[in-house]
Amino acid sequence: MKAIEITSFGAPDVLRVVDRPDPVAGEGELLIRVAASGVNRPDVLQRTGNYPVPPGASDLPGLEVAGEIVAGDAKALADAGLAIGDRVCALVAGGGYAELCVAPVAQCLPVPKGWSDIDAASLPETFFTVWSNVFERGRLQKGETLLIQGGSSGIGVTAIQLGKAMGATVIVTAGSDDKCEACLKLGADHAINYKSSDFVAEIKRITDGRGVDVILDMVAGAYVAREIDCLAEDGRLVIIAVQGGIKAEINAGLVLRRRLTVTGSTLRPRSIAFKGAIAQALRDKVWPLLESGAIKPVVHSTFAAIGDPSGGAQAHVLMESNQHIGKIVLSW
């Protein structure tokens, strides 16, 4: 099979198209002929040597794919209601940048009716992440207020739509007026350009001083102290990335007085059982929203995976530019 390999740690041009042996599905697994692969920030971190591959995972980048089942554990497939020839999308721990990819059956979901493989490849990483962190760890409830840092990212556009679908008020930050406008069109109630406004002051203004109930944070660093100042009583701050740094100094007194929760998680190293439980929750509660059109795909750009020059390198250049709104996808 053709695959995109990280030949050494470095700039996007270290990604090269190579020939690799076809992978083989084992117990509890299936093999997907990949039509499209999602591109995510962790892929960039892996390429630069800042995101080690979990034990046992493929060294190839790529955490989400969509395509056709071509082989697999017959019993596991039957138990999941899947069959050879079905179109699925899957969350994987690696190996997504390839023509063939092995995935745990538990981490696969049917391609939503009416969705293309390109659209479906934009789903797993962001939907698993948002559901796990905003709704399970952050416990966002109908009628509460959610702040999303980086509303125009792949995670952000998913969180906006899911938050609104579940009855929350959604506030986002983004780095330009155009990105703010795009977030509002997706359903956000308020959008703050963090480059021209103080988001803490804006949150207090928008909420009449109450603050927000849940914050989804991909920045960390110095943002943490400012976010704690934005939280309402019993508020929850959920950190899922540390683009702003790993260290923060906070006012612990505010945490005590307001009964705040500061938490976080990474999804990639979690167990198949954990991810499978998220998949089941998504199938039950979110997939009907996708198939009804209540939540729509937001794909900014698609690159040919084995184009010349490599579409993988072009996709990573775009990802690092932060100019995209929504998802970046490779097509095979």
Side-chain angles (χ1 to χ4, degrees), residues 219-304:
V219 183
Y223 264 44
V224 175
R226 301 173 69 198
E227 289 165 335
I228 284 174
D229 201 29
C230 291
L231 284 171
E233 290 189 354
D234 298 300
R236 290 84 74 193
L237 167 60
V238 186
I239 301 168
I240 61 169
V242 289
Q243 295 177 31
I246 62 172
K247 294 184 178 181
E249 184 173 317
I250 67 169
N251 183 340
L254 286 178
V255 176
L256 295 174
R257 290 193 298 273
R258 296 182 185 172
R259 303 175 303 279
L260 306 180
T261 299
V262 179
T263 184
S265 74
T266 56
L267 186 59
R268 191 176 188 181
R270 298 301 295 269
S271 69
I272 292 172
F274 180 85
K275 295 173 187 175
I278 299 173
Q280 189 57 56
L282 288 171
R283 188 164 188 174
D284 293 342
K285 299 175 182 178
V286 176
W287 250 235
L289 298 172
L290 306 181
E291 295 185 341
S292 71
I295 295 177
K296 301 181 184 300
V298 184
V299 176
H300 182 275
S301 296
T302 304
F303 295 91

Side-chain angles (χ1 to χ4, degrees), residues 12 39 41 44 47 179 299-303 311-329:
V39 177
R41 188 74 56 177
V44 173
R47 192 203 76 225
K179 288 183 176 181
V299 176
H300 182 275
S301 296
T302 304
F303 295 91
Q314 295 177 66
H316 278 224
V317 169
L318 176 58
M319 175 67 75
E320 290 182 300
S321 77
N322 292 318
Q323 297 303 306
H324 59 292
I325 297 172
K327 293 287 293 190
I328 302 168
V329 177

